[in-house]
């Protein structure tokens, strides 16, 4: 007797195979859908410029503050703001009456001293004559005494007279020297009074333009320990300079002679050029921030740049015409797995620090597991880029970095070339409209 064929098992096996194939397909497409999509950027070859940006103030190269060395009332002002002046030009006057009287008094004192000196000169001449007469009388008495015609007492009396005349001559000569000194002293006081009188006329010390006037007619100025400011004169407004503060982290890259450019708000869209003239070594510390003053030349042939304008300065510290460069976003990218590892490692380190006993020496700062660090090398700073591998996962590429302009960074030593794509971030999926959401109303 033949056994009947059972056809019921064959459809069940086929059905199981179909279910397995469907499950695999669902899993495969779900995994592909969950795989991250990366933003990519190509490496470029071209020029790159490293620069330092700062803000400064426009000032004249030579700015002279004109003051007054004497006190008094301003009786005349001959210039105003923006007035061109020449060296030696009269620009203001202080009331000279008091100083004129002082000159006259000094002249009178000098004349009196000269008259006294003339009297003393006559006294010296008289003392010289008396001494000569006493000397002749003493000589005669000496000869007569030798011949026994006069006594020794008369000879001694004549000698005493001669000595007294000599002393009187010395006194007259000393008084003459004192008189001469008095005349020189009075002459010096006269010259000082004349100088003070001349100082009542305020004159420009240089050729230039008046950029500031601090006094008005009728105002009284008092010169004591410091001369009061009357005017400020810019020597040459066609040659200006920008004084800017540069942070201590950037000042090491700045050297005299480097090219610089700047803009001012008064002329938007126009860029002025100059060069670094000086890096001043005196530090300025404000709120624990250390900065240094950098002086930049600013030619102003059109006289459109004015003192006090704020300048936005850009100083070129280095430049290359043909460099392999990458967007800075690619240098900041880290795969999610490395970020999680770094966070977990940081938590482990914090927990280990809280323990009373250390089981192993701590790793150096900046060597967190899984996160690449920048370190110095002979060819630049070391870094890392990420590319998409053949399996779709990110793969790291070690590089060395050079110049940076803030948006792009030069790659000095790498196996990558221009045109290669590197990962800069993850693409954000666009939000889809929830199922069942009502559409826009038509009326």
């Amino acid at each position: 007797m033949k056994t009947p064929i059972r056809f019921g098992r064959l459809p069940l096996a086929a059905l199981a195979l179909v279910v397995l194939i469907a499950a695999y397909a669902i899993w495969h497409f779900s995994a592909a859908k969950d795989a991250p999509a990366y933003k990519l950027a190509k490496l470029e070859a071209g020029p790159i410029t490293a620069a330092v940006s700062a803000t400064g103030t426009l000032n004249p190269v030579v700015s002279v503050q004109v003051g007054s060395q004497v006190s008094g009332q301003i009786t005349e002002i001959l210039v105003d703001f923006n007035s061109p002046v020449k060296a030696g030009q009269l620009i203001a006057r202080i009331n000279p009456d008091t100083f004129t009287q002082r000159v006259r008094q000094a002249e009178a004192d000098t004349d009196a001293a000269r008259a006294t000196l003339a009297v003393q000169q006559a006294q010296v001449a008289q003392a010289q004559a008396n001494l000569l007469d006493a000397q002749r009388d003493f000589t005669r008495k000496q000869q007569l005494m030798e011949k026994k015609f006069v006594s020794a007492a008369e000879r001694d009396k004549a000698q005493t007279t001669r000595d007294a005349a000599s002393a009187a001559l010395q006194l007259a000569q000393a008084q003459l020297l004192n008189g001469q000194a008095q005349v020189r002293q009075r002459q010096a006081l006269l010259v000082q009074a004349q100088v003070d009188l001349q100082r009542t006329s305020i004159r420009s010390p240089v050729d230039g333009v008046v950029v500031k006037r601090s006094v008005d007619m009728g105002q009284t100025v008092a010169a004591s320990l410091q001369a009061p400011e009357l005017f400020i004169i810019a020597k040459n407004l066609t040659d200006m300079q920008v004084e800017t503060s540069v942070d201590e982290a950037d000042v090491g890259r700045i050297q005299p002679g480097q090219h610089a450019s700047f803009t001012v708000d008064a002329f938007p869209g126009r860029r002025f050029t100059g060069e670094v003239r000086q890096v001043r070594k005196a530090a300025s510390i404000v709120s624990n921030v250390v900065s240094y003053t950098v002086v930049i030349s600013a030619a102003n042939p059109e006289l459109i740049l004015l003192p006090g304008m704020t300048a936005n300065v850009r100083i070129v510290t280095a430049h290359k015409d043909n460099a392999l460069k990458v967007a800075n976003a690619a240098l900041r990218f880290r795969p999610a797995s490395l970020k999680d590892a770094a966070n977990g490692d940081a938590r482990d380190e914090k927990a280990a620090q809280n323990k009373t006993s250390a089981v192993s020496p701590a790793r150096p700062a900046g060597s967190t597991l899984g996160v690449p660090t920048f370190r110095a090398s002979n060819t630049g700073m070391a870094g890392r880029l990420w590319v998409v591998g053949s399996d779709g996962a990110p793969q790291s590429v070690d590089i060395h970095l050079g110049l940076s302009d803030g948006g792009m960074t030069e790659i000095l030593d790498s196996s990558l070339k221009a045109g290669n794509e590197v990962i800069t971030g993850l693409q954000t999926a666009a939000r889809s409209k929830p199922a069942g959401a009502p559409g826009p109303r038509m009326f």
Side-chain angles (χ1 to χ4, degrees):
M1 182 177 181
K2 296 182 179 180
T3 303
I5 299 174
R6 296 179 180 180
F7 295 97
R9 293 182 179 179
L10 183 59
L12 291 176
L15 180 62
L17 180 61
V18 171
V19 170
L20 290 176
I21 294 174
Y24 174 78
I26 293 173
W27 173 83
H28 177 75
F29 287 109
S30 176
K33 183 178 180 181
D34 294 338
Y38 298 107
K39 294 180 181 179
L40 302 177
K42 292 184 178 181
L43 300 184
E44 301 177 8
I48 188 170
T49 301
V52 174
S53 298
T55 302
T57 304
L58 275 164
N59 291 313
V61 175
V62 178
S63 182
V64 181
Q65 179 179 340
V66 181
S68 174
Q69 295 177 279
V70 296
S71 302
Q73 186 181 36
I74 300 292
T75 58
E76 192 175 7
I77 295 179
L78 303 176
V79 295
D80 201 352
F81 291 93
N82 303 333
S83 296
V85 294
K86 297 292 184 181
Q89 178 181 338
L90 182 66
I91 58 178
R93 194 187 303 275
I94 296 177
N95 192 342
D97 294 344
T98 301
F99 301 95
T100 301
Q101 296 302 322
R102 290 179 183 177
V103 170
R104 292 176 180 175
Q105 181 180 355
E107 289 175 346
D109 292 342
T110 302
D111 292 339
R114 287 172 178 170
T116 302
L117 179 63
V119 172
Q120 292 169 345
Q121 289 174 342
Q123 291 175 348
V124 168
Q126 182 180 2
Q128 289 175 342
N130 293 337
L131 176 60
L132 182 59
D133 181 66
Q135 180 65 37
R136 287 197 298 264
D137 182 64
F138 171 73
T139 301
R140 287 194 300 268
K141 294 293 179 62
Q142 179 69 22
Q143 293 175 352
L144 292 174
M145 188 198 70
E146 292 175 355
K147 296 180 180 180
K148 307 298 183 181
F149 291 130
V150 296
S151 62
E154 291 183 6
R155 192 275 314 269
D156 294 341
K157 183 178 179 180
Q159 184 177 1
T160 302
T161 302
R162 184 199 64 179
D163 294 341
S166 177
L169 176 60
Q170 293 177 358
L171 177 60
Q173 290 174 340
Q175 291 176 345
L176 177 62
L177 293 177
N178 182 65
Q180 292 172 346
Q182 289 289 336
V183 170
R184 290 194 297 270
Q185 182 180 8
R186 297 302 178 184
Q187 288 176 338
L189 293 176
L190 174 59
V191 172
Q192 180 64 47
Q194 292 172 342
V195 170
D196 289 341
L197 179 60
Q198 293 176 355
R199 287 174 176 170
T200 59
S201 298
I202 310 300
R203 299 182 181 276
S204 173
V206 295
D207 296 343
V209 177
V210 178
V211 296
K212 183 179 180 182
R213 176 173 62 85
S214 304
V215 293
D216 294 311
M217 189 178 301
Q219 183 175 342
T220 300
V221 296
S224 54
L225 298 178
Q226 184 176 3
E229 178 187 290
L230 305 182
F231 304 91
I232 293 181
I233 299 177
K235 186 175 181 180
N236 184 10
L237 288 181
T238 61
D239 186 15
M240 304 277 285
Q241 65 184 20
V242 179
E243 297 178 6
T244 180
S245 296
V246 176
D247 187 81
E248 61 176 330
D250 297 324
V251 74
R253 296 188 288 153
I254 299 178
Q255 300 294 332
Q258 289 177 339
H259 176 77
S261 61
F262 63 92
T263 60
V264 294
D265 294 340
F267 303 97
R270 181 169 180 177
R271 183 167 293 275
F272 302 88
T273 60
E275 67 176 24
V276 177
R277 283 182 175 175
Q278 185 184 49
V279 180
R280 295 177 179 172
K281 295 180 174 58
S284 175
I285 304 176
V286 179
S287 300
N288 294 329
V289 177
V290 181
S291 58
Y292 295 84
T293 299
V294 177
V295 181
I296 300 165
S297 64
N300 187 27
E302 302 175 20
L303 299 178
I304 58 177
L305 298 175
L306 304 180
M309 283 185 171
T310 300
N312 300 311
V313 182
R314 183 175 183 268
I315 304 172
V316 177
T317 58
H319 175 79
K320 287 187 178 180
D321 292 325
N322 188 16
L324 180 64
K325 53 187 180 179
V326 65
N328 288 349
L331 299 173
R332 294 190 294 266
F333 173 77
R334 295 291 180 271
S337 58
L338 290 183
K339 293 180 181 178
D340 295 339
N343 294 334
D345 187 72
R347 289 193 296 268
D348 294 342
E349 286 189 353
K350 185 175 181 180
Q353 291 175 359
N354 293 332
K355 294 182 180 180
T356 56
S357 61
V359 296
S360 62
R363 289 189 298 272
S367 61
T368 305
L369 179 64
V371 179
T373 59
F374 291 92
R375 59 189 182 275
S377 68
N378 294 333
T379 57
M381 299 296 294
R384 181 175 295 179
L385 291 176
W386 296 86
V387 299
V388 179
S390 58
D391 57 352
Q395 295 181 356
S396 65
V397 178
D398 292 332
I399 59 172
H400 291 93
L401 306 178
L403 303 181
S404 176
D405 60 4
M408 306 287 287
T409 299
E410 178 190 12
I411 299 177
L412 296 177
D413 182 15
S414 173
S415 60
L416 300 176
K417 298 180 180 180
N420 292 152
E421 292 184 333
V422 295
I423 303 175
T424 61
L426 294 175
Q427 291 184 358
T428 303
R431 292 185 177 180
S432 60
K433 186 175 68 174
R441 297 187 58 173
M442 303 302 295
F443 56 88

